[in-house]
Amino acid sequence: MKTQTLYRPVGLREMELIAESNYKKFPPRLEWQPVFYPVLNQQYAEQIANEWNTPDEFSGFCGIVTAFNVDEDYLQKFEIQNVGDNSHNELWVPSEELEVFNQHIKGEIEIVNVFFGANYKASINNDLNIKIEKFR
């Protein structure tokens, strides 16, 4: 089975929920979030994590870039959405389909980069802190 690597910028609280799943799935969307949007390249995920998550209190003043592999055949059902320049490509997964999407993740959701805002405070999850602090 072929897989495609996708990226997802997340804040600290969302990363804590991912850690609680043993790095196997993304948590359900909040009621005001109708779409889960993984992005197609690390550069774009880093831009979002650094520019949007680090100044955001709800994100814990922390932008974490995750990478994960998804069954390529399953991904064919989602049209690539371009939301800016040529590198701003993402998939729009309806929130009600996120659990099915999670079932198509192969392996673990990995942390590939972390950006720290000025007001960042460490997670209450010590194992997660160890992974995050490697990027300081």
Side-chain angles (χ1 to χ4, degrees):
M1 172 186 312
K2 291 180 79 174
T3 61
Q4 179 176 345
T5 302
L6 298 175
Y7 302 87
R8 170 88 179 143
V10 299
L12 184 60
R13 180 64 187 131
E14 188 172 357
M15 193 68 231
E16 289 170 339
L17 294 171
I18 293 166
E20 288 175 16
S21 78
N22 292 316
Y23 302 92
K24 297 292 185 191
K25 64 182 186 175
F26 290 92
R29 308 306 328 147
L30 301 174
E31 70 178 42
W32 51 270
Q33 297 172 314
V35 174
F36 172 77
Y37 61 95
V39 303
L40 301 185
N41 65 77
Q42 186 171 340
Q43 176 188 0
Y44 178 36
E46 288 176 348
Q47 181 182 2
I48 295 168
N50 191 29
E51 293 177 10
W52 290 74
N53 295 109
T54 58
D56 180 43
E57 182 177 4
F58 187 74
S59 295
F61 303 105
C62 182
I64 301 167
V65 179
T66 64
F68 54 99
N69 295 312
V70 180
D71 172 12
E72 197 172 78
D73 289 336
Y74 171 73
L75 291 178
Q76 297 306 310
K77 70 186 288 181
F78 301 103
E79 187 175 329
I80 295 172
Q81 305 292 324
N82 179 271
V83 295
D85 74 26
N86 290 340
S87 69
H88 292 176
N89 294 320
E90 55 194 43
L91 302 177
W92 293 353
V93 178
S95 60
E96 61 271 10
E97 193 164 330
L98 182 56
E99 191 54 43
V100 173
F101 181 91
N102 281 331
Q103 293 170 10
H104 289 273
I105 295 174
K106 305 301 175 196
E108 291 189 354
I109 299 166
E110 299 178 30
I111 297 171
V112 295
N113 207 348
V114 179
F115 298 90
F116 301 92
N119 294 319
Y120 168 76
K121 291 186 178 45
S123 171
I124 57 172
N125 180 324
N126 288 328
D127 292 330
L128 179 57
N129 280 333
I130 291 168
K131 290 179 184 259
I132 290 173
E133 288 299 321
K134 291 178 184 177
F135 293 92
R136 228 190 241 276

